[in-house]
Amino acid sequence: MLNQMRRGASGWVAKVFLGALAVSFVGWGIADVLRSPGTGHSVLTAGDTSVTVREYQEAYQQGLNRLAQQLQRRPNAEEAEMRGVDQSVLAQLTAGALLDEKARQVGLGVSDDGLVSLIQQEQAFRDGSGNFSRTAMASVLRNVGMTEAMYLDDLRRSASRNQLVASLSDGAAAPAAFAEALGTYTGERRTVNYVTLQPTPADEIADPAVDELDDFFTEHHDDYRAPEYRGFSYVLLSPAAVADATAVTDEQVSAYYETNKARFTTPERRQIEQVVFPNREAADKAAAAIAGGATLADAAAAAGLPVADLGLVPRTAIPNAVLADAAFSAAPNVPTAVVDGPFGPVILLAKTVTAEVVKPLDEAREEIRATVALDAANAKVTAAYTTINEALTSGAALSEAATQAGLTVQVVEPIDRSAQTQAGVKIADIPSEATVLPAVFSADPGAETTPVNFDGNSYVFFALGDIVPARDRKMDEVTERVTADWKRDEAQRLVEERAQALAERVRKGETFAAMAEVEGLIVQSANFVTRDSGPAVLGQAGTRAAFSGSQGTTAHGPALASGEAIVLQVAEVAEPADPLSNVAPNLRQSLDDTVREDLFQSYVAALQAATPVSYNFAAINQAKVGVR
């Protein structure tokens, strides 16, 4: 949640912070002043900037969460240390503190108006109508354990860091020579002749001997292991789940409509043209010509000036109030008098006028009813969250807590991490499955669980049920499946052997066409394929084979369709005429981002060398214990 709320202020910098930056710091080591003072409120200090225990605990918890997603379970303290969570978190916080200290030294900051703008852009703080909601903001911050002051301080620092980094790296780009080399690589086109070999059908392959099947089962034992299954019960708490449109009265609908009438109004729009003159004399001369019957275009041409078409726009699209008043008060197709604009005298012309349209209340009624219900639901969610949380904290079961909040508990039978039951049936209606299931499988049996937050102000409270541990299956449980897999692998081995033999015949002098004719195979051609387009025709392995050598190269490999094999020969190689045209804009942007990340890391390394950093390891150790 906090990462999402910071995203609006950090842009691509967040990616650097959470990725390459932490890795590079761990690689460099922390070679500043290493001392371990007594416990206190700060875990590290860079110059006059400190990182608090709370900030460390928040970052460390996020590091544990990322590791839990990788392991699909909650890591213990030893695993977290072995995976370097504490080191990467300390490196991340050190980098942030160095940037904050530099921003402080040079006087960087963000104004209150700028801070308000960032807050209003945050999606999590919007109501059902898409508008910023103070109530939603308070609810989200309360649920993640932040005060408004804490959030504003965090956002202000993120914005200052972004300004500092932007001044360093904006405009940096990858060298043109590198992009050209990449374009040559990706733009090379090849024409390839190939034949496709079909695998032997499984029913034509004899069953394996007992020892062959046993060996195959032993070699692929993990593939047949039964996964862990977990049952759980849950309560869904979301605005959509608790919203009750039937409870919204007609009076509430009417009041909302009158208060928010602008939402249902399409303003008047005008096709505006304008001519900006260098001085008043030129403008008056043009106005006189228009009064004599000339058009605005004629008058502009006589003055050697262009006619600017502003398009079909509402009044708000014209930032200057004087010009907007003139354009929207003029009669259609009648040029205005000379108007003093910010860049010189102006004559405007409204060519097309689209009248204001107000959606009637009856047409907007159901939309308003749903919106009002969702707005009210946000308050219900906050109240229900508090009720359930307090009940659970007091020792109540989830079912009892749900009853107190007026909600229903849903029970899910034991499923695996892909939401399949032991019978192989997919459970399809788990809310926010991608976030709920990892939380279920990382929860410790018997321990309190944390509600899963998703989509801003929605939550899933859950309690673990029956757990079926993962286990090794015996051969007699999966004999049919193992046999089918062995036959599939055997068919693949046979077709690959045949492909290799046919390719070798061509390499020894037999022509590709003669080989295909003898074998009764149809020669196909893939014309002008590239490394990007090849996989759609030849498959990934076939494309690698096609680009594995020069013209005349003969190769083989798996085909596009699973189980098939391909034998090919490179008939023609063509270099791109314009290499840069083969570098997509998003790829060029990615190259430029990489250069900026390198600059950023070098900059932080320089800050680290110039700024003394001290660490309070006693506070760090206590903070980690508090998180675990």
Side-chain angles (χ1 to χ4, degrees):
M1 172 63 70
L2 294 183
N3 283 341
Q4 292 175 347
M5 291 192 291
R6 295 187 184 108
R7 203 168 289 143
S10 60
W12 68 269
V13 179
K15 176 183 176 184
V16 179
F17 260 4
L18 299 179
L21 175 62
V23 174
S24 62
F25 256 83
V26 172
W28 295 330
I30 301 172
D32 296 284
V33 181
L34 298 181
R35 56 189 176 86
S36 182
T39 59
H41 296 294
S42 299
V43 296
L44 70 89
T45 302
D48 292 335
T49 299
S50 299
V51 175
T52 67
V53 170
R54 180 193 66 80
E55 291 169 331
Y56 180 90
Q57 288 181 321
E58 178 188 316
Y60 189 71
Q61 182 64 67
Q62 291 173 357
L64 291 178
N65 292 342
R66 289 193 294 272
L67 180 56
Q69 290 179 351
Q70 297 173 15
L71 301 177
Q72 294 297 300
R73 57 178 173 79
R74 183 176 178 82
N76 56 39
E78 291 74 18
E79 289 174 321
E81 183 173 355
M82 182 177 65
R83 299 294 183 109
V85 173
D86 51 352
Q87 290 294 316
S88 62
V89 166
L90 196 59
Q92 173 189 331
L93 294 175
T94 300
L98 288 167
L99 288 171
D100 290 343
E101 174 63 11
K102 186 63 176 179
R104 184 194 66 78
Q105 291 174 0
V106 300
L108 283 179
V110 59
S111 67
D112 290 343
D113 289 342
L115 206 62
V116 169
S117 177
L118 291 174
I119 294 170
Q120 292 177 339
Q121 294 171 26
E122 174 50 52
Q123 294 291 331
F125 296 159
R126 298 189 178 185
D127 57 23
S129 304
N131 299 317
F132 171 77
S133 168
R134 179 83 181 201
T135 301
M137 175 181 172
S139 174
V140 171
L141 294 181
R142 179 169 55 253
N143 292 334
V144 298
M146 290 188 77
T147 65
E148 186 173 301
M150 290 161 59
Y151 170 65
L152 293 178
D153 179 64
D154 185 84
L155 184 61
R156 193 182 295 276
R157 282 185 298 156
S158 295
S160 296
R161 293 174 184 175
N162 194 40
Q163 293 180 63
L164 188 64
V165 175
S167 68
L168 167 76
S169 58
D170 276 4
F178 183 86
E180 186 171 345
L182 181 61
T184 299
Y185 178 82
T186 59
E188 179 185 329
R189 287 167 168 77
R190 297 190 168 202
T191 296
V192 178
N193 296 326
Y194 66 96
V195 294
T196 302
L197 308 181
Q198 301 295 327
T200 304
D203 57 4
E204 296 181 13
I205 298 178
D207 288 343
V210 174
D211 57 343
E212 288 180 313
L213 198 62
D214 285 341
D215 290 345
F216 185 86
F217 178 69
T218 300
E219 183 180 352
H220 300 87
H221 190 262
D222 289 345
D223 295 341
Y224 304 105
R225 181 176 171 80
E228 178 185 20
Y229 293 87
R230 289 193 172 197
F232 63 98
S233 55
Y234 71 88
V235 176
L236 172 61
L237 182 57
S238 69
V242 303
D244 183 6
T246 62
V248 179
T249 66
D250 289 340
E251 289 75 14
Q252 288 175 296
V253 171
S254 297
Y256 185 93
Y257 180 80
E258 293 301 327
T259 303
N260 300 276
K261 207 161 190 176
R263 269 194 61 196
F264 307 100
T265 301
T266 301
E268 176 188 350
R269 295 175 181 269
R270 293 191 168 203
Q271 181 83 26
I272 304 296
E273 292 183 348
Q274 71 172 14
V275 178
V276 181
F277 295 89
N279 51 59
R280 186 71 187 205
E281 181 181 357
D284 289 340
K285 183 177 180 180
I290 291 171
T295 65
L296 178 61
D298 293 338
L305 299 171
V307 178
D309 187 350
L310 304 184
L312 187 65
V313 296
R315 176 188 290 265
T316 54
I318 302 177
N320 184 273
V322 175
L323 295 182
D325 289 341
F328 277 79
S329 61
N333 296 307
V334 177
T336 66
V338 178
V339 181
D340 290 327
F343 303 107
V346 180
I347 297 179
L348 304 104
L349 174 66
K351 298 183 67 176
T352 302
V353 177
T354 302
E356 176 183 274
V357 177
V358 180
K359 181 186 287 189
L361 173 59
D362 286 342
E363 292 183 17
R365 190 177 299 278
E366 294 309 313
E367 176 188 347
I368 295 173
R369 198 179 300 278
T371 298
V372 173
L374 277 175
D375 288 345
N378 278 310
K380 292 181 182 179
V381 166
T382 299
Y385 182 98
T386 302
T387 299
I388 295 175
N389 196 49
E390 290 178 350
L392 294 176
T393 302
S394 299
L398 181 61
S399 57
E400 182 182 347
T403 299
Q404 293 181 23
L407 298 172
T408 303
V409 173
Q410 304 294 327
V411 179
V412 179
E413 65 175 295
I415 58 175
D416 63 13
R417 297 176 189 274
S418 64
Q420 286 195 344
T421 67
Q422 296 179 76
V425 178
K426 170 77 173 180
I427 304 298
D429 56 355
I430 299 174
S432 191
E433 178 182 312
T435 52
V436 169
L437 287 188
V440 168
F441 278 88
S442 63
D444 293 326
E448 293 184 3
T449 60
T450 302
V452 178
N453 174 242
F454 66 98
D455 291 347
N457 199 29
S458 297
Y459 303 88
V460 170
F461 288 83
F462 70 92
L464 294 179
D466 294 335
I467 296 178
V468 181
R471 66 179 180 86
D472 292 331
R473 290 191 176 104
K474 296 180 179 179
M475 178 64 169
D476 58 5
E477 295 182 74
V478 290
T479 301
E480 290 186 6
R481 179 180 163 193
V482 176
T483 301
D485 290 346
W486 182 91
K487 288 187 174 184
R488 184 197 63 239
D489 279 19
E490 180 67 6
Q492 187 69 52
R493 184 186 67 81
L494 292 173
V495 77
E496 288 177 359
E497 282 186 356
R498 185 185 178 204
Q500 182 178 2
L502 296 181
E504 190 62 27
R505 282 166 50 182
V506 176
R507 294 190 193 101
K508 288 181 177 180
E510 187 176 359
T511 67
F512 195 84
M515 176 274 294
E517 183 177 0
V518 170
E519 296 294 326
L521 300 170
I522 299 174
V523 177
Q524 297 176 278
S525 293
N527 297 313
F528 305 111
V529 297
T530 67
R531 288 177 170 87
D532 289 334
S533 67
V537 181
L538 304 173
Q540 290 285 358
T543 301
R544 287 194 297 270
F547 283 85
S548 63
S550 58
Q551 184 170 324
T553 294
T554 301
H556 71 281
L560 178 61
S562 177
E564 297 178 350
I566 188 174
V567 181
L568 59 83
Q569 187 173 60
V570 180
E572 183 182 354
V573 177
E575 299 289 338
D578 180 12
L580 289 178
S581 66
N582 296 294
V583 183
N586 62 333
L587 180 56
R588 188 64 182 266
Q589 182 63 49
S590 178
L591 295 175
D592 294 344
D593 287 347
T594 300
V595 170
R596 287 193 285 269
E597 288 181 8
D598 288 342
L599 287 173
F600 176 74
Q601 291 185 48
S602 298
Y603 179 63
V604 175
L607 292 180
Q608 185 187 24
T611 305
V613 181
S614 61
Y615 298 87
N616 186 341
F617 290 108
I620 290 173
N621 290 330
Q622 287 189 2
K624 288 192 289 187
V625 171
V627 171
R628 295 169 191 149

